[in-house]
Amino acid sequence: MADEETSATTPPSSNTVSDQDSTMEAPANESLESTTTTKPSSQATFSIWPPSQRTRDAVVNRLIETLSTPSVLSNRYGTTPPEESSYTARIIEEEAFSSAASSASASEDDGIQILQVYSKEVSKRMLDVVKARAASSSSSADGASQPETGGSADSNVENNEASS
């Protein structure tokens, strides 16, 4: 009696496999067709430029951290107080953003290239600031103002003006 129940509940394997395969293919094909037809109408645009305010704030926070805490940069040029770092970081980011935005409007580059300009401007301006600060603090400690060799033209001009 137990054997009769198992054989009655088990369907024949040859019909079941082919029936399942054919029924599985039809919905899969239909779903592929429906996704390919609806995909062009639902295109999502992704823009890397301009960065969100959250991203810009993260850049400022990272600049503050770099300027005010011990790092490779501070080992060479010294750290700045947190209040000064905060003010300086905001100025650096705003100037870098403005510079990159103006280069974006002048050309039709894609967002990645503009973001690279922004990143390079942030780095360049940060180095200019720490170099100028180190030069001014060393010249005030020495009591004499000597232009730094290998520095940027802006640092040399600032040093020469300070000595006049």
Side-chain angles (χ1 to χ4, degrees), residues 23-46:
T23 56
M24 291 300 281
E25 287 176 15
N29 289 339
E30 288 173 14
S31 66
L32 286 176
E33 289 172 11
S34 65
T35 57
T36 55
T37 55
T38 58
K39 199 172 193 177
S41 64
S42 64
Q43 289 181 348
T45 58
F46 178 75

Side-chain angles (χ1 to χ4, degrees), residues 34-126:
S34 65
T35 57
T36 55
T37 55
T38 58
K39 199 172 193 177
S41 64
S42 64
Q43 289 181 348
T45 58
F46 178 75
S47 176
I48 198 164
W49 184 261
S52 67
Q53 188 59 46
R54 181 176 167 210
T55 302
R56 292 182 66 190
D57 291 341
V59 169
V60 169
N61 289 334
R62 184 66 177 140
L63 280 169
I64 293 168
E65 181 182 336
T66 302
L67 294 170
S68 63
T69 60
S71 66
V72 174
L73 192 66
S74 68
N75 289 340
R76 183 167 183 169
Y77 299 107
T79 59
T80 58
E83 302 81 30
E84 184 181 339
S85 295
S86 178
Y87 175 76
T88 304
R90 292 192 192 289
I91 297 296
I92 290 170
E93 194 282 329
E94 287 171 7
E95 289 177 355
F97 182 81
S98 296
S99 177
S102 66
S103 76
S105 62
S107 65
E108 292 299 320
D109 293 336
D110 68 356
I112 293 174
Q113 291 172 338
I114 300 165
L115 195 63
Q116 286 175 336
V117 169
Y118 172 68
S119 178
K120 287 178 184 179
E121 285 292 324
V122 166
S123 298
K124 182 185 107 185
R125 290 168 193 276
M126 179 183 60

Side-chain angles (χ1 to χ4, degrees), residues 1-9:
M1 187 166 168
D3 289 333
E4 289 174 9
E5 286 178 19
T6 358
S7 62
T9 57

